Amino acid sequence: MMKKGPKEPRFEEALAGLERIVRDLEGGDLPLDDALKLFEEGVRLSRFCSTKLDEAEKRIEILMKGADGAWTPEPFAPGGADLDEPAGGGEEE
């Protein structure tokens, strides 16, 4: 039976934690030991976020590869917007 470790944070949670740590460290009023602990936690969160971004990039590359294995760059369309359609709907009356 596989042992379960501590629950892995979501990317957004890790990024928010990293932002909080940066703010706290930039405040400059922490004792040295506390600042070092926060710095270590920040490094850990930074590595976690970097790994998640690398994984996401690889997943996108796999999804964008054609059936023949050739890389076919596709324009990014947030929300599935049709890039060929002019802004404002494109229908004339």
Side-chain angles (χ1 to χ4, degrees):
M1 182 171 206
M2 191 171 187
K3 216 175 177 182
K4 286 187 175 184
K7 185 181 174 191
E8 186 175 89
R10 293 181 21 213
F11 173 81
E12 292 80 6
E13 293 169 338
L15 185 60
L18 184 57
E19 290 171 342
R20 179 186 45 79
I21 288 171
V22 168
R23 276 193 310 271
D24 290 348
L25 289 174
E26 286 179 340
D29 54 352
L30 293 172
L32 180 60
D33 286 342
D34 292 345
L36 286 173
K37 285 179 187 175
L38 276 181
F39 182 79
E40 289 171 356
E41 176 68 9
V43 168
R44 186 187 68 76
L45 290 174
S46 174
R47 288 181 180 153
F48 173 82
C49 289
S50 178
T51 299
K52 287 295 182 184
L53 289 173
D54 288 344
E55 290 172 2
E57 183 178 1
K58 288 174 186 166
R59 287 178 64 188
I60 289 170
E61 286 177 1
I62 290 169
L63 293 171
M64 301 302 286
K65 268 189 184 173
D68 60 354
W71 174 255
T72 307
E74 299 280 338
F76 177 70
D82 185 358
L83 294 178
D84 293 332
E85 186 175 308
E91 288 191 27
E92 296 179 18
E93 292 181 26

